[in-house]
Amino acid sequence: MADEITFWDFSRSQALSRYNGSSIDVREIAELCALRAQTEAVDPELPSADEMVGIHPLALKRPRRWEAAIAAMIYASSGQIALREEIIKGRELLDRLPKPDRSALTVSRMLALVPAMTAGFRFSRQSQTFNPEANRYPEGARFLSALLEERPALDVEIGLCAHRAGVSNPVLPEHVSPTGATRMVAFVAALLDNSRATRRTVSVSQQTATDRAAGTVNSLVFLHYAREGKLEHFLRTLDQHADDIRAVLARHNAVSATCFRFTPLDPFSEVVERDMEEAFGPGWTGAPTDPRWRSGGTLDSAVEDAKGKMARFMRDAPLDIDHLLRRHKDSETPSERGVSALHWFDRHQRQSLDVRARYDVAFHHRLALTTLEKDGVGIGMERGWDAYQWLAWSAAYGSARAPMPLLYARSSTEPASHVSLRSFNLRQFW
């Protein structure tokens, strides 16, 4: 990959998606920009091919020309005309790289990775502790170092929430957004296909239509379907969502050098349940036996933060499970798995706030440990990103001060616009 870039279009319009997986040289970036501008009727001011070839990968010479080349690659792949204040964040990422990584950078490798990271991840100097809206530069540098390292394998973990019709709408759409899912995978491929690892594997995890969906899908969503007598429809929709994601991953596997695989969430959840049993005993209510969970530690702080976040989802009134069971059995599509899911939901709702918070922290801690054990990286694509999740990851990597190879993709509720990256959104595409 020293002399070529593997191109992926992760823009809203997908105007250049026919070139996905193609190998291009630096000079061809200008051609792709011209094609996009013509298709989208946009007239950005971008450098010529000769100007891009002549840049220094670390911007040590002619820095404005370097910035123009970064802007061109951001536009070619994302369709966004980045502001200078957004472009120069890429320089700070490079400044924080270890010297061996900096010396290994070629122009093509830098233009393959730095613009993609700048477009897809928001960074801030103010994120010295937790910031739900931005990533820290130390994490960005560690993530980029992992991509630049010559290694036999690089594993990536991505978890997805259940796909909903909207934040305030407790309904599942019939299908996952094909454009949204395609953009997510294209963005990840833009990073991994241009890494120096020999083998790249991306595991995309999502809840499938099993009992545990009653505990992992938002309770308001599950209750909506249960009260309507449409639990089997809920479960069939989860099946369809899994098929939709599998189809998107299969299409990308046909042209990407990175292996994308769909991973049902249940096997991972079973590991987390064993972690809980070992740490807190039966029912997960006992005092922690694992010193990592002792009072005053990072995981304990994460649990306290999670309790504050989750308290608003606790039900005041007891759940009338018998009514919901009758509603399901009298529905047009009664099923055994619907009955089983209702019983799981009842058990989950009976859990105390302490237990629920412990489980959620244990879930994210186990995800971090899995990534650490594989020496991999994590890419956050789910909608939620809270302090307790960050603390759970931090505990695996030593402390809240230690940089970890986890970055969350951009999320925005602003109206779509070609100008600036502020409205650019890749995360949880529903």
Side-chain angles (χ1 to χ4, degrees), residues 273-291:
E273 289 161 13
R274 289 196 293 272
D275 289 344
M276 291 286 286
E277 189 89 10
E278 292 175 4
F280 304 108
W284 311 339
T285 58
T289 57
D290 187 329

Side-chain angles (χ1 to χ4, degrees), residues 31 56 124 181 199 237 265 274 343 350 370 385 389 410:
E31 297 175 24
H56 190 283
S124 173
R199 177 182 60 80
T237 303
L265 195 57
R274 289 196 293 272
H343 284 301
R350 291 174 187 271
T370 300
W385 177 227
Q389 297 166 313
R410 285 184 180 269

Side-chain angles (χ1 to χ4, degrees), residues 139-158:
E139 267 81 20
R142 179 162 181 176
F143 188 101
L144 181 54
S145 287
L147 298 180
L148 291 170
E149 179 185 350
E150 287 190 281
R151 51 162 74 188
L154 179 60
D155 293 283
V156 181
E157 301 290 334
I158 297 176

Side-chain angles (χ1 to χ4, degrees), residues 43 46 53 75 78 80 109 113 142 144 148-150 173-174 225 241 252 259 288 295 315 320 333 385 390 410:
D43 188 21
L46 297 170
V53 170
Y75 179 65
S78 74
Q80 299 300 118
R109 183 169 289 122
L113 295 173
R142 179 162 181 176
L144 181 54
L148 291 170
E149 179 185 350
E150 287 190 281
E174 294 301 313
Y225 284 93
H241 287 184
H252 279 74
C259 175
S295 177
R315 290 175 53 82
D320 190 347
T333 53
W385 177 227
W390 180 72
R410 285 184 180 269

Side-chain angles (χ1 to χ4, degrees), residues 155-232:
D155 293 283
V156 181
E157 301 290 334
I158 297 176
L160 297 179
C161 310
H163 306 269
R164 288 165 61 183
V167 176
S168 60
N169 191 347
V171 176
L172 305 179
E174 294 301 313
H175 290 275
V176 172
S177 164
T179 301
T182 295
R183 291 179 61 222
M184 175 198 76
V185 179
F187 170 63
V188 177
L191 298 172
L192 272 292
D193 278 2
N194 289 295
S195 76
R196 300 177 73 190
T198 303
R199 177 182 60 80
R200 288 89 72 181
T201 304
V202 180
S203 297
V204 180
S205 302
Q206 184 172 301
Q207 182 62 55
T208 51
T210 68
D211 295 353
R212 285 181 175 82
T216 58
V217 175
N218 186 287
S219 60
L220 295 177
V221 174
F222 186 86
L223 273 176
H224 170 80
Y225 284 93
R227 287 166 175 163
E228 293 289 321
K230 296 181 178 179
L231 266 185
E232 181 58 26

Side-chain angles (χ1 to χ4, degrees), residues 328-357:
H328 175 65
K329 291 175 180 178
D330 293 340
S331 70
E332 295 180 0
T333 53
S335 64
E336 286 300 319
R337 65 178 185 170
V339 172
S340 185
L342 277 168
H343 284 301
W344 189 283
F345 184 73
D346 183 42
R347 291 194 297 274
H348 181 265
Q349 292 294 299
R350 291 174 187 271
Q351 290 176 342
S352 67
L353 179 60
D354 274 340
V355 169
R356 292 196 206 183

